[in-house]
Amino acid sequence: MRVKDIADIIKGLSDETRLLILYLLWKRPLCVCEVMGALDITQTKASRHLIYMKNAGILEAERDDRWMVYKIREDIPEGMRRAIESICSLIGDTEEARELDVRLEKILPDSSYRAVHGREINN
């Protein structure tokens, strides 16, 4: 990893919506529709932020049938992973995160992705 790679990751997190997406994906991999529902944003906005974070080296995406499922990259260096965990822990203490957790729990049982794939929720 180079300093430029670290700078790209930090730039990728320099937005409130992207920080909330990071928090969601810290908890579990999600498809675009689940991110949309949890954040109450459009598909275009969710996809734009997810792609930005993927291009910055934070996320990876995997196609599962017709769904794109995003998660935090598994090969992120340990120091960066610890930084992300610290950031997500800080976000988790906010009112926005508490509201987000409630919305996510409400939409996951009804989400199309979960209904099709039977994915269980892992807290």
Side-chain angles (χ1 to χ4, degrees), residues 7-117:
D8 288 343
I9 290 171
I10 292 169
K11 286 179 200 173
L13 297 175
S14 64
D15 177 271
E16 183 178 337
T17 300
R18 289 194 293 268
L19 284 172
L20 292 173
I21 290 171
L22 182 74
Y23 173 75
L24 289 171
L25 296 177
W26 178 55
K27 299 183 94 172
R28 63 183 61 94
L30 297 170
C31 68
V32 175
C33 62
E34 292 166 335
V35 171
M36 289 170 48
L39 292 174
D40 193 26
I41 58 177
T42 65
Q43 186 271 331
T44 302
K45 187 173 184 178
S47 292
R48 187 180 76 238
H49 283 297
L50 287 162
I51 290 168
Y52 190 96
M53 293 171 74
K54 182 176 180 260
N55 290 341
I58 302 163
L59 305 180
E60 58 190 1
E62 181 178 297
R63 183 163 293 283
D64 186 357
D65 193 22
R66 61 185 181 133
W67 306 96
M68 286 302 287
V69 179
Y70 288 85
K71 65 181 182 177
I72 297 172
R73 285 181 53 175
E74 303 214 2
D75 62 346
I76 283 185
E78 185 58 31
M80 186 56 72
R81 180 165 299 284
R82 284 192 311 270
I84 287 172
E85 288 175 0
S86 294
I87 291 166
C88 290
S89 180
L90 286 169
I91 293 168
D93 291 336
T94 66
E95 173 124 0
E96 293 94 336
R98 286 187 287 278
E99 292 169 4
L100 200 55
D101 288 338
V102 169
R103 283 199 305 267
L104 186 61
E105 293 303 321
K106 285 181 181 176
I107 65 155
L108 278 178
D110 299 321
S111 81
S112 302
Y113 180 83
R114 187 175 187 278
V116 169
H117 298 282

